[in-house]
Amino acid sequence: MQIQVAANKAKKSPAEYTSENSELFKEAFKAGNVDFDDFIRTTEARHISAVEQLWRTLDKNGFLYKAVYKGWYSTHDEMFVPENNVEEIKIENNNSVKICVDTGNEVSWMEETNYMFALSRLKPELTELLNTQFVQPAVWQPLARSYLHNLPDLSVSRRRDRLPWGIAVPNDDTQTIYVWLDALVNYLTVTGYPNMQNSWPPNCHVVGKEILKFHAVFWPAFLLAANMKLPHQILCHAHWTVDGHKMSKSKGNVVDPMLLMSKYTPDALRYFLLREGVPHSDNNFNEQKMVECINSEIVNTLGNLLSRCTSLSINPNQIFPALNKATLKASFSSEAQHTFYQLQELAGNVELNYSRFSIYKTLEQISATLRWANGLMEEHKPWQLVKHCDQKDHLNTLLHITLETLRVCALLLSPVIPELSGKLLNRLGVPPENQTWNDIRSQQQTDQPLGNDSSVLLKRIKFQH
C-alpha cells in the first residue's frame, strides 16, 4: 500500500514508480563497486510463481483461513499494530492522531475480510528459535523475543479493489497477497524455488533493526509452516544518524551517497561507513569526520607508508626484496620480529571478524598494523641506511617487512576498498593472479620488481561544504 500511495503522490503508476527507484539502486551499486549475483524484483514472473507456490503450500498445510480482521493499520510500516502498541498524540491546530508506539508512524482503523496466517500456532517453535543465537548481535535478541509476547494470527492479504498493486491470491482475485509475505519470498526466488534450489538455506540475512520483526518472526514462521529449512542467522544492524539526528527529508539532512562518492571517491565512502559503522548501535554520520578519518588512515598511514617504501631515494633499485631471515634476527628487536611474523595471525583474526560482520574491528586491527610499520621506518631510518653499502641487507630487510605488511594489509582491505587495494598491489608488482584472498599467506622467495605506477595512492581530500 505504501508503494501505491507514493506512486499516486508522484502521479505515476506503481510499476513506473518502482522501476525508476529500482534503477537508482542499481546506479548506486555500480558507482560504489557493489557487485551482486542477482537483482530480484517482485514484479518478475519467476517471483510471482514462487509467491503463488508458497501460498499454495501454506494453504495445503492448513495455515491459511479467511476471517474478518479489525485493527489499527500503519500504511508506512505495512503492518497491523496491536491495540496496546497504539497511542494518541496531539498535532498542529490541536488535532490528534493515533500512532504506532514503536515507529511513530500514523495508524488508521481498518476492518475487512482477509486471509489469515495461523502465526499463533507456531509460538512454541519461534520461542525456541529466538532463545538461540539466531539473531545477531546479541543486543537485538531481547527485541526479537519481545515480539512473541502478543502473537496473534497475521493478516496476509488485502482487498484487491483497495490494493490492486501486488500479487493476487491464487484462485481468489478479490485479494492481494500481503507485501511482507510477497517480499520475503525474494530470498527463495533467487535460489530457483519452487524448482531445484542450489543455495538454500542461506548462511545469513542482513537486515535493519526496523524490519527485524518481519525477518525474525514472520519469515521463520512462513518457512516452518511450509516445512522448509530456516536461514542459519539473522544479522541485524542499527541506523545511521546525521550529526546525532535521524535522517529526514523534512529536516533536509538525508545523505546522498552518489554525491559523496563523486566528491571523495567510492572507496573513501566505503571505508568510512565500514570503519565507523557498528551493527549493535546507531552510528553518527558527519562529513567532516569522514574526511579526517580518510586523511588519517588512508592518506597518511597507508599511502604514506607506500610512498616511503617505493620512493627512489630509499628504494633506488625499485624492488620488493626477499626476506633475509639472518638480518631480520640480527638487526631487528625480538618484538619487531614477533609482530612481523604475526601478520599471518592478523589474517586469521581479520577473517574471523569478517565472518562475524565485525568489520570495524578488522579495520582497527589493520590500521594498527600499518601504524606499527610506519613506526618501524622511523626507528630504522632507511634514509640513512641507503647511504651505507654495508647496510644494504638491513635496508632490504626493512623494505621487505614494510612492503610485505602493505601487501597483506592491501589483500585484507580489498573487500572494503577494492580500487585502492588493487592500485597498491599493482605498485608492489603483485600480478593480478596473485591478488586473491588465497594469496594472503603466500611467501615471496626472491626479489621482485615493483610495478610502474608511482602515482600517489590517494591525494589528501578536503572537506567540501
Side-chain angles (χ1 to χ4, degrees), residues 247-255:
M247 287 192 208
S248 167
K249 289 182 180 179
S250 60
K251 291 180 181 177
N253 67 344
V254 176
V255 175

Side-chain angles (χ1 to χ4, degrees), residues 42 126 144 181 249 418:
T42 57
L126 292 171
L181 195 162
K249 289 182 180 179

Side-chain angles (χ1 to χ4, degrees), residues 343-344 346-347 403-413 440:
L343 278 177
Q344 298 305 315
L346 172 68
L403 289 170
E404 177 65 4
T405 299
L406 281 167
R407 185 190 73 85
V408 170
C409 288
L411 289 170
L412 294 174
L413 285 168
I440 291 172

